[in-house]
Amino acid sequence: MSDKPDKRSTFPLPLSSVTGGARKGPAFAPARVVTPRAATPQAATPRVATPRVATPQTATRNAAGNGGQPNGGPNSANAYVARVVASPSKSHSDALLRSQPLPVVPPRPDMGVSDAIRRAMVARVARQGVRDTVVLGALETVQRHRFIEPALSAQAYIDASLPIGHNQTISRPYIVARMLEVLRNGAPLNRVLEIGTGCGYQAAVLSCIAKEVYSVERIRQLHELAKTNLRHLRIVNLRLHYGDGMLGLPQAAPFDGIILAAAGLEVPQALLEQLSVGGRLVAPVGAQVQHLQLITRTGKAEWMSETLEGCHFVPLRPGTV
């Protein structure tokens, strides 16, 4: 799919702080006292010059007309007051900040992980029984180590689930490949829904094998993490959503494939109804003992279920956090 502004600045200053009260700032020229010795012969009495106070009008005039003069330079007192008066309001500054494009997050460093290590992982997954070459190719394309903490990079391509925070994990490579192979069933996928974005790894793999991918995450911080991890990849056919995955994504339904990355005691009815006729849903089901379950929609109100192999996933929960 992470630069803080300097909060020490006190600008813009109120005008009263430089035009009233104790005259300590550089914006005020001291009074010039003309002594009898300096007076001309025609002067009868000493003259006291009127203090020169920089107002917004004089500051603006001097800044505009005296660019190269002593009172019009960029470091002069009048120019200083002009800058203070011309400073935008806080709301305007905030609006300008919001209008700026988000910075492009650079990809995580390779941390010494080579392409050969990733290819070895794919070969191991194939030996474990995954035969779909499209899925294996997607697994080889997506760099798994970029979706986990750098400290765990050395373990990125072992066949194990790894922590991603918030009591969630990234699934082991074999189980990701196996579920996608069952979901594809040797045929192209058009629109797919993923429940449980997590760190974004499986969504990235899905984007390689489906025309459109929608992914829902209920934990706000994981949703943001996935956006950060995926941003530099610029995947055009992937849409991330923050929301309750148990409700699915009815505005984008129907889906010809739905995959769950968390285990419930049963598959939510809302997800079954968002599956297109002929579509396939793959989900872990169970509590202490879990199994992958394949559900195929065979009619408007008909579904067929098949239990596959054992697995272990985090619990499927409702709501958002």
Side-chain angles (χ1 to χ4, degrees):
M1 331 79 88
S2 53
D3 321 290
K4 294 185 179 178
D6 189 349
K7 296 185 178 179
R8 293 175 295 177
S9 174
T10 57
F11 295 98
L13 297 174
L15 186 60
S16 62
S17 68
V18 292
T19 58
R23 312 300 187 184
K24 295 182 180 181
F28 303 94
R32 296 184 300 165
V33 179
V34 182
T35 63
R37 180 179 300 177
T40 61
Q42 290 78 14
T45 58
R47 293 181 301 163
V48 178
T50 303
R52 297 166 58 199
V53 178
T55 66
Q57 293 79 12
T58 58
T60 304
R61 185 166 58 250
N62 289 336
N66 297 331
Q69 302 305 317
N71 289 331
N75 298 320
S76 67
N78 289 331
Y80 171 79
V81 175
R83 288 196 302 270
V84 171
V85 174
S87 298
S89 65
K90 184 177 187 301
S91 60
H92 182 58
S93 299
D94 291 343
L96 289 176
L97 182 62
R98 288 194 298 269
S99 68
Q100 299 301 314
L102 290 173
V104 176
V105 179
R108 293 185 181 183
D110 282 342
M111 302 296 291
V113 178
S114 68
D115 292 342
I117 295 177
R118 191 165 59 259
R119 287 194 295 268
M121 175 201 73
V122 175
R124 184 180 62 248
V125 169
R127 289 194 301 270
Q128 290 173 289
V130 176
R131 297 288 181 262
D132 191 323
T133 56
V134 174
V135 172
L136 294 174
L139 233 62
E140 185 172 340
T141 299
V142 180
Q143 299 176 322
R144 191 172 187 252
H145 66 277
R146 296 191 184 276
F147 292 84
I148 61 177
E149 289 298 322
L152 298 174
S153 290
Q155 305 176 56
Y157 297 103
I158 65 174
D159 192 30
S161 58
L162 298 172
I164 57 174
H166 307 279
N167 296 316
Q168 304 297 303
T169 61
I170 179 175
S171 299
R172 43 190 284 242
Y174 165 76
I175 206 68
V176 170
R178 176 62 175 148
M179 293 177 73
L180 297 186
E181 181 179 51
V182 172
L183 192 70
R184 246 179 58 84
N185 194 34
L189 290 170
N190 290 318
R191 182 171 296 183
V192 173
L193 174 64
E194 178 191 39
I195 304 302
T197 312
C199 62
Y201 172 71
Q202 184 171 265
V205 178
L206 271 169
S207 72
C208 298
I209 67 174
K211 186 176 180 180
E212 297 176 57
V213 179
Y214 297 83
S215 185
V216 181
E217 175 57 54
R218 65 180 292 270
I219 302 175
R220 167 71 75 175
Q221 290 180 316
L222 284 182
H223 171 70
E224 297 298 330
L225 173 65
K227 287 199 299 183
T228 299
N229 290 340
L230 292 163
R231 185 172 293 134
H232 76 278
L233 297 178
R234 303 183 183 279
I235 301 174
V236 298
N237 63 330
L238 173 60
R239 299 289 181 270
L240 303 183
H241 294 265
Y242 170 65
D244 185 350
M246 294 184 71
L247 302 179
L249 202 64
Q251 63 268 35
F255 302 97
D256 58 333
I258 299 178
I259 186 169
L260 280 70
L265 296 179
E266 59 183 11
V267 176
Q269 185 64 30
L271 299 181
L272 297 177
E273 293 174 355
Q274 290 173 34
L275 197 62
S276 62
V277 175
R280 295 161 73 90
L281 181 151
V282 183
V285 176
Q288 297 300 322
V289 178
Q290 300 174 3
H291 289 86
L292 287 182
Q293 190 170 27
L294 167 64
I295 297 177
T296 305
R297 187 167 191 175
T298 56
K300 185 175 181 180
E302 296 177 347
W303 294 265
M304 181 178 67
S305 177
E306 180 182 353
T307 300
L308 306 177
E309 62 203 78
C311 60
H312 183 72
F313 280 80
V314 296
L316 179 66
R317 300 187 187 281
T320 58
V321 292

